[in-house]
mmCIF file of all heavy atoms in Angstrom:
data_model
loop_
_atom_site.group_PDB
_atom_site.id
_atom_site.type_symbol
_atom_site.label_atom_id
_atom_site.label_comp_id
_atom_site.label_asym_id
_atom_site.label_seq_id
_atom_site.Cartn_x
_atom_site.Cartn_y
_atom_site.Cartn_z
ATOM 1 N N ALA W 17 20.899 21.319 2.403
ATOM 2 C CA ALA W 17 21.761 22.470 2.434
ATOM 3 C C ALA W 17 21.006 23.784 1.952
ATOM 4 O O ALA W 17 21.169 24.826 2.469
ATOM 5 C CB ALA W 17 22.942 22.274 1.584
ATOM 6 N N THR W 29 22.029 36.471 8.193
ATOM 7 C CA THR W 29 23.439 36.027 8.686
ATOM 8 C C THR W 29 24.182 35.372 7.510
ATOM 9 O O THR W 29 23.670 34.607 6.740
ATOM 10 C CB THR W 29 23.330 35.108 9.904
ATOM 11 O OG1 THR W 29 24.704 34.912 10.373
ATOM 12 C CG2 THR W 29 22.720 33.821 9.632
ATOM 13 N N ILE W 82 26.660 33.900 36.815
ATOM 14 C CA ILE W 82 26.152 35.003 37.486
ATOM 15 C C ILE W 82 24.755 35.225 36.855
ATOM 16 O O ILE W 82 24.653 35.542 35.738
ATOM 17 C CB ILE W 82 27.018 36.228 37.258
ATOM 18 C CG1 ILE W 82 28.443 35.919 37.784
ATOM 19 C CG2 ILE W 82 26.459 37.531 37.846
ATOM 20 C CD1 ILE W 82 29.519 36.719 37.243
ATOM 21 N N GLN W 96 21.639 47.521 32.297
ATOM 22 C CA GLN W 96 21.825 46.519 33.302
ATOM 23 C C GLN W 96 22.895 45.511 32.836
ATOM 24 O O GLN W 96 23.682 45.011 33.625
ATOM 25 C CB GLN W 96 20.500 45.875 33.470
ATOM 26 C CG GLN W 96 19.427 46.630 34.178
ATOM 27 C CD GLN W 96 18.120 45.941 34.323
ATOM 28 O OE1 GLN W 96 17.471 45.672 33.311
ATOM 29 N NE2 GLN W 96 17.689 45.665 35.501
ATOM 30 N N HIS W 114 15.447 36.148 23.620
ATOM 31 C CA HIS W 114 14.945 37.324 22.938
ATOM 32 C C HIS W 114 13.515 37.669 23.424
ATOM 33 O O HIS W 114 13.322 38.561 24.047
ATOM 34 C CB HIS W 114 15.039 37.122 21.457
ATOM 35 C CG HIS W 114 14.701 38.344 20.597
ATOM 36 N ND1 HIS W 114 14.591 38.248 19.275
ATOM 37 C CD2 HIS W 114 14.465 39.622 21.043
ATOM 38 C CE1 HIS W 114 14.316 39.530 18.780
ATOM 39 N NE2 HIS W 114 14.230 40.311 19.881
ATOM 40 N N SER W 180 22.557 29.259 14.348
ATOM 41 C CA SER W 180 23.642 29.861 13.699
ATOM 42 C C SER W 180 24.888 29.994 14.571
ATOM 43 O O SER W 180 24.651 30.183 15.818
ATOM 44 C CB SER W 180 23.234 31.291 13.111
ATOM 45 O OG SER W 180 22.993 32.103 14.241
ATOM 46 N N PRO W 196 30.299 18.211 23.616
ATOM 47 C CA PRO W 196 29.790 16.864 23.207
ATOM 48 C C PRO W 196 30.368 16.421 21.859
ATOM 49 O O PRO W 196 30.405 17.231 20.945
ATOM 50 C CB PRO W 196 28.252 17.078 23.171
ATOM 51 C CG PRO W 196 27.995 18.324 23.970
ATOM 52 C CD PRO W 196 29.135 19.055 23.872
ATOM 53 N N LEU W 267 -9.095 43.053 34.024
ATOM 54 C CA LEU W 267 -8.036 42.334 33.254
ATOM 55 C C LEU W 267 -6.980 43.387 32.828
ATOM 56 O O LEU W 267 -7.350 44.415 32.332
ATOM 57 C CB LEU W 267 -8.647 41.672 32.022
ATOM 58 C CG LEU W 267 -7.989 40.449 31.427
ATOM 59 C CD1 LEU W 267 -7.881 39.351 32.536
ATOM 60 C CD2 LEU W 267 -8.824 40.028 30.198
ATOM 61 N N GLY W 313 3.728 26.738 35.885
ATOM 62 C CA GLY W 313 4.227 26.786 37.124
ATOM 63 C C GLY W 313 3.555 27.652 38.132
ATOM 64 O O GLY W 313 2.282 27.767 38.257
ATOM 65 N N ALA W 314 4.371 28.546 38.849
ATOM 66 C CA ALA W 314 3.913 29.386 39.857
ATOM 67 C C ALA W 314 3.039 30.430 39.251
ATOM 68 O O ALA W 314 2.321 31.146 40.018
ATOM 69 C CB ALA W 314 5.078 29.947 40.571
#
Side-chain angles (χ1 to χ4, degrees):
T29 184
I82 298 157
Q96 287 174 299
H114 187 187
S180 64
L267 206 59

